[in-house]
Protein backbone atom coordinates (compact mmCIF):
# COMPACT_ATOMS: atom_id res chain seq x y z
CA UNK A 1 0.00 0.00 0.00
CA UNK A 2 1.27 3.47 -0.90
CA UNK A 3 0.51 6.20 1.63
CA UNK A 4 1.16 9.90 1.01
CA UNK A 5 1.24 11.62 4.39
CA UNK A 6 0.51 15.34 4.17
CA UNK A 7 -0.16 15.63 7.91
CA UNK A 8 1.91 17.01 10.75
CA UNK A 9 2.12 17.05 14.57
CA UNK A 10 0.66 13.84 16.09
CA UNK A 11 -2.71 12.35 15.07
CA UNK A 12 -1.94 12.09 11.34
CA UNK A 13 1.73 11.11 11.68
CA UNK A 14 0.82 8.47 14.29
CA UNK A 15 -1.78 7.03 11.90
CA UNK A 16 0.67 6.85 8.99
CA UNK A 17 3.38 5.39 11.23
CA UNK A 18 1.05 2.58 12.29
CA UNK A 19 0.31 1.85 8.62
CA UNK A 20 4.04 1.94 7.93
CA UNK A 21 4.68 -0.48 10.80
CA UNK A 22 2.23 -2.84 9.10
CA UNK A 23 4.19 -2.67 5.85
CA UNK A 24 2.82 0.32 3.93
CA UNK A 25 5.18 2.50 1.90
CA UNK A 26 4.81 5.97 3.42
CA UNK A 27 6.11 9.22 1.97
CA UNK A 28 5.91 12.09 4.45
CA UNK A 29 5.63 15.49 2.78
CA UNK A 30 7.13 18.36 4.77
CA UNK A 31 7.74 22.07 4.47
CA UNK A 32 11.24 22.75 3.13
CA UNK A 33 13.81 23.57 5.82
CA UNK A 34 11.47 23.60 8.86
CA UNK A 35 9.48 20.42 8.27
CA UNK A 36 6.88 19.03 10.66
CA UNK A 37 6.10 21.39 13.55
CA UNK A 38 7.19 18.77 16.08
CA UNK A 39 10.76 18.79 14.78
CA UNK A 40 11.19 21.87 16.95
CA UNK A 41 9.24 20.61 19.97
CA UNK A 42 12.15 20.10 22.33
CA UNK A 43 14.30 19.64 24.26
CA UNK A 44 14.93 16.81 24.62
CA UNK A 45 16.65 16.22 21.31
CA UNK A 46 18.34 12.98 20.31
CA UNK A 47 22.06 13.14 19.60
CA UNK A 48 21.18 12.96 15.89
CA UNK A 49 19.38 16.31 16.22
CA UNK A 50 15.82 14.99 16.05
CA UNK A 51 13.31 16.01 18.72
CA UNK A 52 12.00 13.21 20.93
CA UNK A 53 8.46 14.26 20.04
CA UNK A 54 9.07 13.85 16.31
CA UNK A 55 10.83 10.52 16.81
CA UNK A 56 7.79 9.10 18.61
CA UNK A 57 5.52 9.15 15.55
CA UNK A 58 7.56 9.17 12.35
CA UNK A 59 9.50 5.97 11.74
CA UNK A 60 8.96 3.84 8.61
CA UNK A 61 8.63 6.88 6.35
CA UNK A 62 10.62 8.64 3.68
CA UNK A 63 10.70 12.43 3.91
CA UNK A 64 10.05 14.64 0.89
CA UNK A 65 10.45 18.39 1.32
CA UNK A 66 8.01 20.11 -1.04
CA UNK A 67 6.48 23.56 -1.42
CA UNK A 68 2.81 23.44 -2.39
CA UNK A 69 3.11 26.88 -3.97
CA UNK A 70 5.84 25.72 -6.36
CA UNK A 71 4.35 24.46 -9.65
CA UNK A 72 6.94 21.72 -10.07
CA UNK A 73 6.51 20.47 -6.51
CA UNK A 74 2.74 20.57 -6.86
CA UNK A 75 2.96 18.54 -10.08
CA UNK A 76 5.15 16.01 -8.26
CA UNK A 77 2.62 15.70 -5.44
CA UNK A 78 -0.24 15.22 -7.89
CA UNK A 79 1.73 12.49 -9.65
CA UNK A 80 2.42 10.74 -6.33
CA UNK A 81 -1.28 10.99 -5.42
CA UNK A 82 -2.30 9.47 -8.77
CA UNK A 83 -0.47 6.26 -7.82
CA UNK A 84 -1.21 6.31 -4.10
CA UNK A 85 -3.68 4.12 -2.26
CA UNK A 86 -4.12 6.53 0.65
CA UNK A 87 -3.66 10.22 1.33
CA UNK A 88 -3.68 11.46 4.93
CA UNK A 89 -3.94 15.19 5.63
CA UNK A 90 -4.90 17.52 8.46
CA UNK A 91 -5.10 20.91 6.77
CA UNK A 92 -7.89 23.35 7.56
CA UNK A 93 -10.85 22.81 5.23
CA UNK A 94 -10.22 24.41 1.83
CA UNK A 95 -6.50 24.99 2.37
CA UNK A 96 -5.33 22.18 0.09
CA UNK A 97 -7.83 23.09 -2.63
CA UNK A 98 -6.51 26.63 -2.63
CA UNK A 99 -3.03 25.13 -3.09
CA UNK A 100 -4.18 23.24 -6.18
CA UNK A 101 -4.78 19.88 -4.52
CA UNK A 102 -8.51 19.27 -4.79
CA UNK A 103 -9.53 16.07 -3.00
CA UNK A 104 -12.89 15.85 -4.79
CA UNK A 105 -11.27 16.03 -8.21
CA UNK A 106 -8.48 13.65 -7.23
CA UNK A 107 -10.90 11.06 -5.86
CA UNK A 108 -12.90 11.27 -9.09
CA UNK A 109 -9.77 10.90 -11.23
CA UNK A 110 -8.23 8.07 -9.20
CA UNK A 111 -10.76 5.33 -8.40
CA UNK A 112 -8.32 3.44 -6.17
CA UNK A 113 -7.66 6.44 -3.90
CA UNK A 114 -8.76 6.66 -0.26
CA UNK A 115 -8.60 10.13 1.27
CA UNK A 116 -8.35 10.55 5.05
CA UNK A 117 -8.89 14.03 6.50
CA UNK A 118 -8.22 14.78 10.15
CA UNK A 119 -9.66 17.98 11.60
CA UNK A 120 -10.07 19.58 14.97
CA UNK A 121 -13.81 20.23 14.98
CA UNK A 122 -15.27 18.75 11.79
CA UNK A 123 -15.13 19.39 8.05
CA UNK A 124 -16.96 22.71 8.23
CA UNK A 125 -14.92 24.29 11.02
CA UNK A 126 -11.97 26.61 10.48
CA UNK A 127 -10.81 26.23 14.08
CA UNK A 128 -7.33 24.72 14.40
CA UNK A 129 -7.37 21.50 16.36
CA UNK A 130 -5.05 21.08 19.34
CA UNK A 131 -5.28 18.23 21.84
CA UNK A 132 -5.32 20.49 24.92
CA UNK A 133 -8.22 22.60 23.65
CA UNK A 134 -10.25 19.54 22.72
CA UNK A 135 -9.59 17.92 26.10
CA UNK A 136 -11.14 21.04 27.63
CA UNK A 137 -14.15 21.25 25.31
CA UNK A 138 -14.92 17.52 25.12
CA UNK A 139 -15.34 17.16 28.88
CA UNK A 140 -12.10 15.31 29.59
CA UNK A 141 -10.63 17.95 31.86
CA UNK A 142 -13.87 18.24 33.83
CA UNK A 143 -13.55 14.59 34.91
CA UNK A 144 -9.76 14.46 35.39
CA UNK A 145 -7.84 15.48 38.51
CA UNK A 146 -8.47 15.75 42.22
CA UNK A 147 -12.16 16.33 43.06
CA UNK A 148 -11.22 19.45 45.05
CA UNK A 149 -8.61 20.70 42.59
CA UNK A 150 -8.62 22.34 39.19
CA UNK A 151 -9.74 20.52 36.03
CA UNK A 152 -6.71 18.66 34.68
CA UNK A 153 -5.60 17.46 31.26
CA UNK A 154 -4.44 13.90 30.72
CA UNK A 155 -0.65 13.54 30.90
CA UNK A 156 -0.38 12.28 27.29
CA UNK A 157 -1.97 13.88 24.21
CA UNK A 158 -4.57 11.12 24.27
CA UNK A 159 -7.06 12.95 22.03
CA UNK A 160 -4.44 13.02 19.27
CA UNK A 161 -3.54 9.39 19.94
CA UNK A 162 -7.18 8.27 19.93
CA UNK A 163 -7.90 10.23 16.76
CA UNK A 164 -4.86 8.78 15.00
CA UNK A 165 -5.99 5.28 15.85
CA UNK A 166 -9.57 6.10 14.74
CA UNK A 167 -8.15 7.33 11.45
CA UNK A 168 -6.19 4.11 10.98
CA UNK A 169 -9.32 2.06 11.69
CA UNK A 170 -11.31 4.10 9.16
CA UNK A 171 -8.61 3.68 6.53
CA UNK A 172 -8.39 -0.07 7.08
CA UNK A 173 -12.18 -0.33 6.84
CA UNK A 174 -12.13 1.59 3.53
CA UNK A 175 -9.34 -0.64 2.22
CA UNK A 176 -11.41 -3.69 3.13
CA UNK A 177 -14.44 -2.27 1.36
CA UNK A 178 -12.31 -1.44 -1.68
CA UNK A 179 -11.01 -5.01 -1.77
CA UNK A 180 -14.53 -6.44 -1.60
CA UNK A 181 -15.81 -4.07 -4.29
CA UNK A 182 -13.16 -5.29 -6.73
CA UNK A 183 -13.54 -4.06 -10.29
CA UNK A 184 -16.88 -2.42 -9.49
CA UNK A 185 -15.05 0.10 -7.36
CA UNK A 186 -16.24 2.28 -4.50
CA UNK A 187 -18.12 5.57 -4.88
CA UNK A 188 -16.29 8.68 -3.80
CA UNK A 189 -18.13 9.04 -0.49
CA UNK A 190 -17.04 5.52 0.51
CA UNK A 191 -13.41 6.41 -0.15
CA UNK A 192 -13.53 9.43 2.13
CA UNK A 193 -12.51 8.98 5.74
CA UNK A 194 -13.01 11.96 8.03
CA UNK A 195 -12.18 11.98 11.71
CA UNK A 196 -12.00 14.92 14.07
CA UNK A 197 -10.34 15.37 17.42
CA UNK A 198 -13.66 16.48 18.86
CA UNK A 199 -15.70 13.46 17.75
CA UNK A 200 -12.96 11.00 18.71
CA UNK A 201 -12.67 12.62 22.14
CA UNK A 202 -16.42 12.52 22.70
CA UNK A 203 -16.61 8.87 21.63
CA UNK A 204 -13.77 8.06 24.03
CA UNK A 205 -15.87 9.24 27.00
CA UNK A 206 -17.67 5.85 26.70
CA UNK A 207 -19.14 4.90 30.11
CA UNK A 208 -18.68 8.40 31.56
CA UNK A 209 -20.85 9.90 28.82
CA UNK A 210 -23.35 7.06 29.17
CA UNK A 211 -23.55 7.59 32.94
CA UNK A 212 -24.56 11.18 32.29
CA UNK A 213 -27.06 10.24 29.59
CA UNK A 214 -28.70 7.57 31.73
CA UNK A 215 -28.76 9.49 35.01
CA UNK A 216 -29.37 12.98 33.66
CA UNK A 217 -26.62 14.23 35.97
CA UNK A 218 -23.28 15.68 35.03
CA UNK A 219 -20.12 13.63 35.52
CA UNK A 220 -17.79 14.42 38.41
CA UNK A 221 -14.06 14.23 39.00
CA UNK A 222 -13.10 11.14 40.97
CA UNK A 223 -9.34 11.56 41.05
CA UNK A 224 -7.87 8.06 41.30
CA UNK A 225 -11.20 6.44 42.22
CA UNK A 226 -13.95 5.18 39.90
CA UNK A 227 -17.49 6.44 39.53
CA UNK A 228 -18.99 2.96 39.14
CA UNK A 229 -16.67 0.51 40.95
CA UNK A 230 -15.43 0.07 44.54
CA UNK A 231 -12.61 -0.62 45.30
CA UNK A 232 -11.08 0.53 42.05
CA UNK A 233 -8.49 3.16 42.91
CA UNK A 234 -5.07 4.10 44.21
CA UNK A 235 -4.06 3.29 47.76
CA UNK A 236 -0.99 4.26 49.77
CA UNK A 237 1.10 1.52 51.34
CA UNK A 238 3.97 1.75 53.80
CA UNK A 239 6.38 2.65 51.00
CA UNK A 240 4.77 3.37 47.61
CA UNK A 241 1.27 3.61 46.13
CA UNK A 242 -0.51 0.71 44.44
CA UNK A 243 -3.76 0.36 42.55
CA UNK A 244 -6.42 -2.27 43.20
CA UNK A 245 -9.12 -2.90 40.61
CA UNK A 246 -11.96 -5.11 41.84
CA UNK A 247 -14.06 -5.32 38.70
CA UNK A 248 -16.27 -8.29 39.57
CA UNK A 249 -18.18 -9.32 42.69
CA UNK A 250 -16.41 -12.66 42.71
CA UNK A 251 -13.10 -10.86 43.23
CA UNK A 252 -14.28 -9.09 46.38
CA UNK A 253 -13.96 -11.84 49.03
CA UNK A 254 -10.53 -13.12 47.93
CA UNK A 255 -9.25 -9.55 47.68
CA UNK A 256 -10.23 -8.80 51.25
CA UNK A 257 -8.84 -12.09 52.55
CA UNK A 258 -5.57 -11.34 50.72
CA UNK A 259 -5.11 -8.06 52.57
CA UNK A 260 -6.28 -9.40 55.93
CA UNK A 261 -9.80 -7.97 56.13
CA UNK A 262 -12.03 -11.06 56.41
CA UNK A 263 -14.73 -9.03 58.13
CA UNK A 264 -15.24 -6.98 54.96
CA UNK A 265 -15.26 -10.15 52.86
CA UNK A 266 -18.11 -11.48 55.02
CA UNK A 267 -20.10 -8.24 55.31
CA UNK A 268 -23.51 -8.87 53.62
CA UNK A 269 -23.83 -5.21 52.68
CA UNK A 270 -20.66 -5.35 50.58
CA UNK A 271 -21.21 -8.50 48.53
CA UNK A 272 -22.31 -6.60 45.42
CA UNK A 273 -20.70 -3.67 43.69
CA UNK A 274 -23.90 -1.64 44.21
CA UNK A 275 -23.58 -2.28 47.94
CA UNK A 276 -19.94 -1.26 47.97
CA UNK A 277 -20.84 1.93 46.08
CA UNK A 278 -23.49 2.69 48.70
CA UNK A 279 -20.88 2.18 51.44
CA UNK A 280 -17.94 3.66 49.52
CA UNK A 281 -16.57 5.81 52.36
CA UNK A 282 -16.31 3.16 55.05
CA UNK A 283 -15.14 0.48 52.60
CA UNK A 284 -12.35 2.58 51.17
CA UNK A 285 -11.35 3.90 54.60
CA UNK A 286 -10.93 0.37 56.00
CA UNK A 287 -8.87 -0.79 53.02
CA UNK A 288 -6.73 2.35 53.04
CA UNK A 289 -5.92 2.00 56.75
CA UNK A 290 -4.94 -1.66 56.34
CA UNK A 291 -2.67 -1.11 53.34
CA UNK A 292 -0.51 1.48 55.11
CA UNK A 293 0.66 -1.21 57.58
CA UNK A 294 2.93 -3.04 55.11
CA UNK A 295 5.00 -2.32 51.99
CA UNK A 296 3.66 -2.52 48.44
CA UNK A 297 5.48 -5.74 47.51
CA UNK A 298 3.82 -7.65 50.34
CA UNK A 299 0.32 -6.60 49.30
CA UNK A 300 0.96 -7.18 45.60
CA UNK A 301 2.29 -10.67 46.25
CA UNK A 302 -0.85 -11.56 48.25
CA UNK A 303 -3.25 -9.95 45.78
CA UNK A 304 -1.60 -11.52 42.75
CA UNK A 305 -1.71 -14.92 44.43
CA UNK A 306 -5.46 -14.43 44.85
CA UNK A 307 -5.88 -13.40 41.20
CA UNK A 308 -6.86 -9.81 41.99
CA UNK A 309 -6.05 -7.09 39.39
CA UNK A 310 -3.46 -4.85 41.00
CA UNK A 311 -0.25 -3.02 40.24
CA UNK A 312 2.41 -0.71 41.54
CA UNK A 313 2.57 2.89 40.33
CA UNK A 314 5.64 3.00 38.09
CA UNK A 315 7.45 5.97 36.67
CA UNK A 316 7.49 6.35 32.90
CA UNK A 317 11.13 5.26 32.79
CA UNK A 318 10.38 2.14 34.86
CA UNK A 319 7.46 1.23 32.59
CA UNK A 320 9.39 1.83 29.37
CA UNK A 321 12.52 0.02 30.54
CA UNK A 322 10.41 -2.98 31.55
CA UNK A 323 8.63 -3.04 28.17
CA UNK A 324 11.91 -2.86 26.27
CA UNK A 325 13.39 -5.65 28.36
CA UNK A 326 10.37 -7.84 27.58
CA UNK A 327 10.69 -7.06 23.87
CA UNK A 328 14.47 -7.59 24.01
CA UNK A 329 15.15 -4.14 22.57
CA UNK A 330 17.99 -1.84 23.54
CA UNK A 331 17.17 1.52 25.06
CA UNK A 332 19.48 3.21 22.57
CA UNK A 333 17.51 1.74 19.65
CA UNK A 334 14.14 2.72 21.12
CA UNK A 335 15.40 6.25 21.82
CA UNK A 336 16.06 6.62 18.10
CA UNK A 337 13.08 4.73 16.66
CA UNK A 338 10.32 4.67 19.28
CA UNK A 339 8.58 1.99 21.29
CA UNK A 340 8.04 -1.47 19.74
CA UNK A 341 5.40 -1.60 16.97
CA UNK A 342 1.96 -3.01 17.69
CA UNK A 343 0.47 -6.14 16.07
CA UNK A 344 3.87 -7.61 15.29
CA UNK A 345 4.76 -4.76 12.95
CA UNK A 346 8.33 -4.15 11.83
CA UNK A 347 10.70 -1.18 11.95
CA UNK A 348 12.23 -0.80 8.52
CA UNK A 349 13.31 2.84 8.43
CA UNK A 350 14.44 5.24 11.14
CA UNK A 351 12.50 8.52 11.49
CA UNK A 352 13.84 10.66 8.63
CA UNK A 353 15.50 14.03 8.72
CA UNK A 354 13.54 16.77 6.95
CA UNK A 355 13.78 16.23 3.21
CA UNK A 356 16.23 13.36 3.66
CA UNK A 357 14.78 11.44 0.71
CA UNK A 358 13.78 14.37 -1.51
CA UNK A 359 16.32 13.61 -4.22
CA UNK A 360 15.39 9.93 -4.31
CA UNK A 361 11.64 10.54 -4.35
CA UNK A 362 11.90 13.18 -7.08
CA UNK A 363 13.89 10.76 -9.19
CA UNK A 364 12.13 7.45 -8.48
CA UNK A 365 8.68 8.42 -7.11
CA UNK A 366 7.16 5.37 -5.40
CA UNK A 367 10.02 3.18 -6.60
CA UNK A 368 12.10 4.94 -3.95
CA UNK A 369 11.22 2.18 -1.50
CA UNK A 370 13.29 -0.25 -3.54
CA UNK A 371 16.38 1.55 -2.23
CA UNK A 372 15.59 4.59 -0.08
CA UNK A 373 19.15 5.44 0.91
Amino acid sequence: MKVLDLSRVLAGPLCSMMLGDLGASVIKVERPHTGDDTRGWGPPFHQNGQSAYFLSANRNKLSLAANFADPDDRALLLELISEADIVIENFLPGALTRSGIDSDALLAQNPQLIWCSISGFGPESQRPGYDFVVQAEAGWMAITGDPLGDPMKVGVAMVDVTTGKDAAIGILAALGARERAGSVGLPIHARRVHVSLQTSALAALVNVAQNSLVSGRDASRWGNAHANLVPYQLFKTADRPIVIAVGADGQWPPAMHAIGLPELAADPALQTNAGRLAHRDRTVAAIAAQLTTAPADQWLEALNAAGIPCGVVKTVKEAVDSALESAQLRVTDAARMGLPPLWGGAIRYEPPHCGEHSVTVREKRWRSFENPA
Side-chain angles (χ1 to χ4, degrees), residues 83-304:
E83 296 182 32
D85 295 284
I86 302 154
V87 171
I88 302 170
E89 54 91 7
N90 61 354
F91 285 80
L92 288 175
L96 278 177
T97 302
R98 290 191 294 273
S99 297
I101 299 176
D102 185 331
S103 61
D104 288 334
L106 290 166
L107 283 165
Q109 294 164 12
N110 302 287
Q112 87 291 349
L113 186 62
I114 293 166
W115 194 282
C116 177
S117 298
I118 300 173
S119 68
F121 298 92
E124 306 303 322
S125 174
Q126 290 294 317
R127 295 179 66 189
Y130 278 79
D131 179 280
F132 188 24
V133 175
V134 176
Q135 286 202 34
E137 294 202 357
W140 285 28
M141 292 180 66
I143 59 171
T144 305
D146 189 279
L148 301 179
D150 291 332
M152 189 70 61
K153 71 177 180 68
V154 181
V156 173
M158 279 304 300
V159 172
D160 275 336
V161 172
T162 300
T163 306
K165 288 178 178 286
D166 286 350
I169 291 168
I171 288 169
L172 293 173
L175 284 172
R178 190 186 74 173
E179 181 72 16
R180 290 191 300 273
S183 60
V184 176
L186 288 176
I188 288 177
H189 75 270
R191 291 185 282 119
R192 274 197 175 280
V193 176
H194 188 277
V195 294
S196 72
L197 302 185
Q198 183 184 47
T199 53
S200 286
L202 287 170
L205 286 171
V206 288
N207 61 292
V208 175
Q210 202 68 22
N211 285 348
S212 184
L213 290 169
V214 169
S215 70
R217 298 189 299 272
D218 212 343
S220 302
R221 286 200 299 281
W222 286 92
N224 286 312
H226 195 290
N228 302 106
L229 297 169
V230 172
Y232 200 101
Q233 66 181 74
L234 178 139
F235 293 97
K236 294 180 180 179
T237 70
D239 56 355
R240 62 189 300 186
I242 64 173
V243 296
I244 299 176
V246 174
D249 289 337
Q251 294 170 347
W252 169 249
M256 293 305 97
H257 284 294
I259 64 173
L261 293 174
E263 66 277 14
L264 290 189
D267 189 333
L270 305 180
Q271 297 309 301
T272 66
N273 182 67
R276 295 191 294 277
L277 278 172
H279 298 277
R280 180 193 291 269
D281 290 346
R282 75 174 178 91
T283 303
V284 169
I287 296 171
Q290 177 74 345
L291 292 176
T292 59
T293 64
D297 285 347
Q298 177 177 320
W299 298 124
L300 292 175
E301 182 179 359
L303 289 163
N304 279 315

Side-chain angles (χ1 to χ4, degrees), residues 1-3 23-28 60-63 348-349 360-361 364-373:
M1 292 294 165
K2 302 181 183 72
V3 179
S25 299
V26 182
I27 295 176
K28 180 180 179 70
N60 284 336
K61 305 175 188 181
L62 308 186
S63 174
R348 293 167 292 135
Y349 312 120
T360 303
V361 172
K364 298 182 177 180
R365 305 317 198 246
W366 289 105
R367 291 186 295 105
S368 299
F369 288 89
E370 298 169 4
N371 182 15

